[in-house]
Amino acid sequence: MRILITGAAGFLGSHLCTRLIKDGHQVIGMDNFVTGNPDNLAHLAGEPGFQFIRHDVSDFIFVPGKVDAVMHFASPASPNPDSPYGYTNLPIQTMKAGALGTHNTLGVAHAHRARYLLASTSEIYGDPLEHPQSESYWGHVDPIGVRSVYDEAKRFAEALTMAYHRYHGVDTRIVRIFNTYGPNMRLDDGRVVPNLIQQALRHEPLTVYGDGQQTRSFCYVSDLIEGIVRLLLSDEHDPVNIGNPQETTILEFAKTINEIAGNPAGIVFKPASRLGDDPQRRRPDITRAKKILQWEPKITLEEGIRLTIPYFKEKMGLA
Ligand code: NAD
Ligand code: UDP
């Protein structure tokens, strides 16, 4: 296939490009570098099957030649207001990438009769009242909360994707991605994994927001990419959760990182209020992914952290 991947220079987009090139596809990567990094794609520069277009997906998209699949991953993805790359500091860009970017990429898929995959998120469940979250849960989102620029853009994107499927017959898929981590994450985007791993490697106390009793379920990137590729190749049109159901409190998570990195500096608690609607519990129900895609994650949290640390060491000049 000839596949357009938006958000190609980001964390997940760059892994997707690498995987799909390895699988023998042709890939057109698209990005405007608002949160991404061209270094993530440097290794693909000489690949005959890889092409890059610098473009903002909020503007009309023209792709020369035939496109067989479109994967829309372009969007800021970190909630952290302390980082200039957090979506709370890029609120309009985030809403445009989710709304106009989804419209434009669906337009490409429609025009080319290409298959389409939307990168959605567990954030569409908001601060969930059902636990774990299955795809049938409608969510609990504050439409004007701090995170709403991301959550509501993604909810709009899902609705628009289903509209193109139902009204125009576009061959769409929706993946609801739960917290994923690994190499190629931006060091300064403020998400919990880059923040805590770098603090641990610098032997500083790890910053835990609130009392650290909020939970997340972290998936290693290779597991996530495998699930997404299987979904792309499937004929499933309804949303599918992809994530690792191994749930941990943020406090336990911080302790695990300190242990693995051998950091004696401990933990410091920071106020949670700036994050307002920080979801208290999050864990994917992956029954559908198991059944439809014969997929489940293989890498444990401890293994994944060990696989991720060398990337941060290298980027921090500690390797
Ligand atoms: P990222 O910030 O590393 O990557 C996003 C990429 O999109 C960046 O390269 C950025 O420059 C690009 N981009 C943003 N707006 C753009 C625009 N208007 N035009 C062109 N390019 C644009 O984030 P990520 O973690 O790789 O997330 C990728 C996708 O996966 C996002 O849609 C995000 O919502 C979704 N997602 C990620 C996670 C996760 O845990 N990593 C969880 C849920 C959903
Ligand atoms: N968090 C934290 N310390 C940090 C960064 C984040 O305790 O330095 C918390 C944050 O409040 C949230 C969780 O870790 O409860 C995951 O945050 P992240 O920004 O990675 O993404 P989210 O899952 O909230 O979108």
Side-chain angles (χ1 to χ4, degrees):
M1 289 191 284
R2 189 159 181 261
I3 307 173
L4 172 67
I5 301 178
T6 72
F11 164 46
L12 298 181
S14 61
H15 284 279
L16 259 184
C17 291
T18 305
R19 164 67 190 263
L20 292 167
I21 287 279
K22 187 168 150 264
D23 288 354
H25 299 288
Q26 288 180 34
V27 171
I28 309 152
M30 180 171 285
D31 209 292
N32 68 349
F33 303 128
V34 64
T35 60
N37 184 349
D39 290 354
N40 286 341
L41 296 174
H43 62 290
L44 296 176
E47 281 286 342
F50 184 72
Q51 188 187 338
F52 182 79
I53 303 175
R54 183 171 184 161
H55 183 73
D56 183 333
V57 294
S58 308
D59 297 328
F60 181 84
I61 299 171
F62 172 74
V63 183
K66 183 87 190 81
V67 174
D68 304 300
V70 178
M71 304 181 81
H72 181 36
F73 278 69
S75 169
S78 164
N80 199 331
D82 288 341
S83 165
Y85 303 100
Y87 57 70
T88 45
N89 288 317
L90 300 164
I92 316 290
Q93 291 95 321
T94 301
M95 295 211 79
K96 285 172 78 175
L100 306 180
T102 303
H103 186 222
N104 289 329
T105 51
L106 279 164
V108 174
H110 187 208
H112 288 260
R113 298 190 174 282
R115 58 180 66 203
Y116 185 86
L117 187 145
L118 172 71
S120 185
T121 166
S122 53
E123 280 281 335
I124 64 103
Y125 301 122
D127 188 2
L129 301 178
E130 260 184 34
H131 193 76
Q133 293 79 53
S134 68
E135 292 86 346
S136 58
Y137 179 47
W138 290 2
H140 179 231
V141 174
D142 177 352
I144 55 160
V146 182
R147 290 176 182 245
S148 65
V149 293
Y150 182 69
D151 300 8
E152 296 292 13
K154 291 288 185 179
R155 288 169 70 97
F156 176 89
E158 287 201 9
L160 192 64
T161 300
M162 291 310 289
Y164 266 69
H165 174 62
R166 293 187 180 121
Y167 186 72
H168 285 312
V170 175
D171 185 12
T172 59
R173 289 140 193 82
I174 296 173
V175 57
R176 290 186 180 152
I177 301 169
F178 282 66
N179 293 67
T180 301
Y181 67 99
N184 293 8
M185 294 189 94
R186 191 177 186 108
L187 271 62
D188 53 356
D189 80 5
R191 283 187 271 189
V192 71
V193 173
N195 272 11
L196 300 196
I197 289 185
Q198 287 176 93
Q199 290 159 355
L201 292 175
R202 284 193 230 105
H203 287 190
E204 291 171 0
L206 307 199
T207 53
V208 166
Y209 297 161
D211 60 7
Q213 291 309 308
Q214 70 273 35
T215 71
R216 293 295 186 271
S217 305
F218 293 99
C219 186
Y220 187 66
V221 62
S222 60
D223 279 336
L224 180 93
I225 296 294
E226 178 62 32
I228 289 175
V229 170
R230 286 186 191 207
L231 180 61
L232 178 72
L233 300 178
S234 81
D235 291 319
E236 181 58 40
H237 302 301
D238 287 337
V240 180
N241 288 340
I242 301 278
N244 190 323
Q246 191 186 348
E247 184 179 5
T248 169
T249 66
I250 293 300
L251 184 57
E252 282 166 21
F253 180 59
K255 287 180 182 163
T256 306
I257 290 184
N258 271 343
E259 246 171 64
I260 294 174
N263 178 23
I267 284 160
V268 60
F269 292 91
K270 297 266 183 182
S273 53
R274 292 163 311 107
L275 287 162
D277 38 7
D278 197 351
Q280 288 309 293
R281 300 176 80 188
R282 182 181 289 159
R283 178 182 187 221
D285 178 335
I286 57 165
T287 310
R288 269 169 59 71
K290 281 185 181 165
K291 185 162 167 239
I292 296 167
L293 310 174
Q294 288 77 51
W295 175 88
E296 62 183 314
K298 295 193 167 59
I299 311 271
T300 65
L301 185 55
E302 293 71 19
E303 287 167 344
I305 293 170
R306 287 183 203 282
L307 289 168
T308 305
I309 283 177
Y311 162 80
F312 283 97
K313 275 194 174 158
E314 193 199 315
K315 290 281 172 189
M316 293 165 73
L318 302 172

